[in-house]
Amino acid sequence: MLITLEGLDGSGKTTVWEVLHEEFSDAVFTREPTNSWYGEAVNRSIEDDDADSIAELFLYTADHAAHLSNTIRPALAEDELVISDRYSDSRYAYQAVALEGHVTRPMEYIIGVHKPWTRPPDCTIYLDVDPETGAARSGATNKFEQAGFLAQVQSNYERLMDAEPGRFVRVDATQSPEAVIDSVVSTIERVTNNADESGLHSDE
Ligand SMILES: Nc1ncnc2c1ncn2[C@@H]1O[C@H](COP(=O)(O)OP(=O)(O)OP(=O)(O)O)[C@@H](O)[C@H]1O
Ligand SMILES: Cc1cn([C@H]2C[C@H](O)[C@@H](COP(=O)(O)O)O2)c(=O)[nH]c1=O
């Protein structure tokens, strides 16, 4: 089963993800951008205010392709629980803002690029914070961590949740870290138990 954590910069994904290591010690923990050289290229692009938006989309997408073949698909084939800090929805939400004015219907374009080969998550936990809180918590150190940009990203996440309400679980991430962690842990326990009870596993 593939569970992803999504949300604005500063929503607390990394804080939660670190505690999940203790709660689900058998799971495979991973993230995008990855720690590979593809991910390093992405990180260079994030720090470059003048990076070309389409080039940046394809750097992220290349990193996702390698992530799928090197980590996600092998782990799911072994019936592991995989928990990823950011995944394809980050592209649909963030790059759809960055590509506005460069391509028509940017979110549909990006989803279309992924659709033939990606592996959608079974469950996506969305850590919900307002853009101002996200920007303040993240320190607003790069081009994505600005409240105005994050407000548009938030609208895109809302569109994604409206389109697939069954996949997303929204958690109020303005609560205390302990309360957020409790909600995320109980969500993961519930979805993994449901999968066990229904006899469904990884890529069936
Ligand atoms: N529920 C919370 N309440 C208050 N502060 C929090 C909460 N969760 C995390 N923080 C703080 O907010 C900051 C950002 O948290 P964190 O790095 O976990 O967010 P993130 O979603 O991973 O951000 P980014 O996407 O920018 O890496 C940290 O200083 C963290 O201690
Ligand atoms: C995977 C992914 C990430 N981003 C953005 C979101 C953040 O501002 C940075 C790095 O992520 P982190 O969780 O803060 O380390 O990259 C993006 O725009 N598109 C993506 O696909």
Side-chain angles (χ1 to χ4, degrees):
M1 165 166 283
L2 173 59
I3 297 179
T4 59
L5 297 180
E6 292 284 350
L8 303 184
D9 290 82
S11 56
K13 295 176 309 306
T14 308
T15 303
V16 167
W17 191 72
E18 280 165 6
V19 177
L20 294 181
H21 281 72
E22 295 153 32
E23 297 284 337
F24 300 95
S25 53
D26 291 339
V28 172
F29 287 90
T30 185
R31 69 185 305 276
E32 292 186 10
T34 68
N35 294 324
S36 69
W37 67 263
Y38 303 99
E40 283 169 25
V42 168
N43 285 323
R44 283 184 61 181
S45 182
I46 292 171
E47 297 307 323
D48 180 358
D49 289 348
D50 298 323
D52 180 84
S53 302
I54 295 180
E56 193 165 64
L57 165 69
F58 286 106
L59 286 177
Y60 277 113
T61 307
D63 188 40
H64 181 64
H67 190 206
L68 273 171
S69 59
N70 295 335
T71 305
I72 302 284
R73 290 193 196 281
L76 293 179
E78 294 295 319
D79 209 14
E80 307 269 16
L81 170 63
V82 181
I83 302 177
S84 186
D85 177 358
R86 294 198 183 280
Y87 193 72
S88 46
D89 291 303
S90 285
R91 229 115 45 244
Y92 307 155
Y94 280 76
Q95 273 59 58
V97 178
L99 287 187
E100 198 63 61
H102 295 269
V103 294
T104 51
R105 296 164 63 88
M107 189 190 290
E108 289 74 6
Y109 172 74
I110 300 163
I111 291 173
V113 166
H114 283 66
K115 200 161 192 168
W117 52 273
T118 192
R119 197 295 191 180
D122 298 294
C123 172
T124 298
I125 300 173
Y126 178 68
L127 299 190
D128 192 3
V129 286
D130 54 278
E132 291 74 21
T133 302
R137 281 195 200 159
S138 65
T141 56
N142 67 37
K143 60 192 175 190
F144 295 136
E145 294 173 347
Q146 312 301 322
F149 185 87
L150 292 179
Q152 298 175 72
V153 174
Q154 182 186 43
S155 304
N156 286 338
Y157 274 124
E158 293 294 337
R159 277 183 64 193
L160 292 164
M161 287 188 277
D162 285 348
E164 284 186 84
R167 172 162 71 85
F168 283 93
V169 176
R170 187 195 297 266
V171 169
D172 177 0
T174 63
Q175 303 174 93
S176 68
E178 295 73 23
V180 175
I181 287 162
D182 283 352
S183 298
V184 173
V185 168
S186 54
T187 298
I188 295 176
E189 286 172 346
R190 180 174 52 77
V191 296
T192 53
N193 287 340
N194 285 350
D196 284 344
E197 280 165 19
S198 64
L200 271 182
H201 290 284
S202 63
D203 277 7
E204 290 172 24

